Amino acid sequence: MATIVFLEHHDNELLKPALGVLSKAATLDDDVTGVVLGSGVMDLAGGAGEFGAAKVVVVDKPELEAPLPQPRVDALASIVGAGGYDNVLFAASVLAADVAAGLSARLGAGLNWDLTDLVREGAELVGKRPALGDSVFVDVGWTSTPRLALIRAGTFDPRATGGEAAVEEADVQFEDFSTAATMVERAHAESEGPSIEDADVIVAGGRGLGAPENFKLVEELAQALGGAVAATRAVVDAGWYPYSTQVGQTGKTVSPKLYIACGISGAIQHKVGMQSSGTVVAINKDPNAPIFEFSDLGVVGDLNEIVPKLTELVRQRRS
Amino acid sequence: MKIAVCVKHVPEQARKIDPGTKRLDRSGEGAINPFDVHAVEEALRIKEDKGGEVVVVTMGPAGAQDSVRKALAMGADEALMITDDAAAGSDLVATTNALAAALEREGADLVVFGQQASDSDGAVLWAAVADRLRLPVISQVAELEVSDGKVRGKRQTEFGYDVIEAPTPAVLAVSDAINEPRYPSLKGIMGARSKPQRTVSVSELGVDEAGEAGSKTTVRELSDPPPRGDTVKIEDDGSAAEKIVEFIAERKLL
Ligand SMILES: Cc1cc2nc3c(=O)[nH]c(=O)nc-3n(C[C@H](O)[C@H](O)[C@H](O)COP(=O)(O)OP(=O)(O)OC[C@H]3O[C@@H](n4cnc5c(N)ncnc54)[C@H](O)[C@@H]3O)c2cc1C
Ligand SMILES: Nc1ncnc2c1ncn2[C@@H]1O[C@H](COP(=O)(O)O)[C@@H](O)[C@H]1O
């Protein structure tokens, strides 16, 4: 088998989740290549040898300066075609998902996503995927090569094994439509806000709060408990609460002793940011909300009723 | 401006995979994927602002008619359904083949997708369809500006917010925070029945690789998730706050 791993980078560093997938690939296959696509990235490539890449293919072009998916599909399609790779692996991210899906269409190649493990069975590869809100585990396969896979964020940690990679440069022709989108502003982290990563107690609010001003309900509870306030992407994207407090795939990963989720549905992309919390309490009025699948205490009810009472009781107990 | 909006009909509750076919059980009641309601709303707002028409496009079983009706009741002008037994069991590649073929014929200026399908959680289809249509794509759009001949989207990644611009025709996928969808009016609901609805088969679209046969991925086996520790679920009868306090006090978290 020959495996190639998409090595995403930001601020001149290869990203940990991608190096984690590379380390995993090296345990499955002896022929592992990394691919770095960008502009001014030649120096980055060598670093992948540490984590199990025997070779790194680099495309260094101004068209790859901005982290946009479509020119990367052009690059990968030609690299994967020329190199005869059997497996193309991605650590899930906003960019990687769009690249993987574009490549799937371009090559007519099967893509399995949200994998939490990969197992080799002879010449076959099997992906493990928790599905339907993680309520069932599915073994997935591919009927042809190349096999494309997106690995769930935070699944594999990078392991430095101290190897060296041969770095090779490749050339690419870009399609007109692939370079039509342009980035006007990049990775702007708005409004510095509080830091939530070290909090022992987190009270998180979602769209179930109904309106931005209702964040005061979770703020008061957090204050009573001596904890921090977190939010979902839905409310951060809507401008209700700062990005620095967002938990999940594109936000922070937290592991407090206590996580209280108020009006949060429990999407997988939120779960990946808080699943290592000690105790999870969820308040949601929908008895079928996915959050109840991973809560230690699930409360079906109206947060507008429950949260203020809870704050009052906590204050009484702690005073 | 012609806007195509892609919606998926998803099982409403008690989602499960049929152990025999290893496909999602789609026999029960279904409804429009909640994330796609935001896509329909955004398409309607663009139409209201710029003029034009909104066509709803879906691939799904006959029951997907309910989802189409909902979008029409909200204000979409017409619908195209790819409904065909030969399309059952489609994975990403097979879905892309059919949907892109249908969208190619529609020739819309904008193709709008929802954030993710609640049953597949893929959040990938737009990028595959855009590649097949040879159009630029912007995903996860939380704020959108449409002007003559171009679109500009603000979206979140792992590192903050990007602003991306693309010329039309283009493909967009919108975040669930982009808008607050309207409820269909009574008039909208009544009017939905008489709006044009077309149904096509995959062969009419000229697609050979469809459904399970055209798919490149398989489901090999199903198993239960690892068991979790003791979990408690209660319904609030007025005493939930007390119970939560007891629960966290017992665990010495107070
Ligand atoms: C690539 C990608 C990355 C993403 N990254 C993230 C991420 O980092 N973090 C993240 O959080 N999400 C992320 N998402 C979005 C995620 O899929 C969900 O859309 C989001 O988490 C939903 O937020 P929510 O739970 O606040 O809103 P909703 O899903 O709308 O849920 C609101 C909940 O509130 C409940 N509710 C309503 N009223 C009340 C009431 N009065 N009392 C009690 N409960 C009530 C409802 O029953 C519902 O369950 C990402 C998505 C994608 C595609
Ligand atoms: N069968 C389908 N028919 C039409 N649109 C779909 C279909 N499946 C998914 N979509 C669209 O693609 C988006 C992403 O789906 P997914 O990549 O499966 O999570 C959804 O929000 C819909 O807009």
Side-chain angles (χ1 to χ4, degrees), chain A residues 90-117:
Chain A
F90 299 82
S93 71
V94 169
L95 177 66
D98 285 353
V99 175
L103 190 64
S104 164
R106 187 76 62 89
L107 303 177
L111 171 65
N112 281 306
W113 55 82
D114 217 13
L115 303 185
T116 55
D117 204 4

Side-chain angles (χ1 to χ4, degrees), chain B residues 6-8 33 36 57 59 113-114 116-117 120 122-126:
Chain B
C6 296
V7 307
K8 188 177 191 186
N33 173 31
D36 295 344
V57 180
M59 179 171 99
F113 285 79
Q116 68 201 82
S120 73
V124 287
L125 185 57
W126 50 78

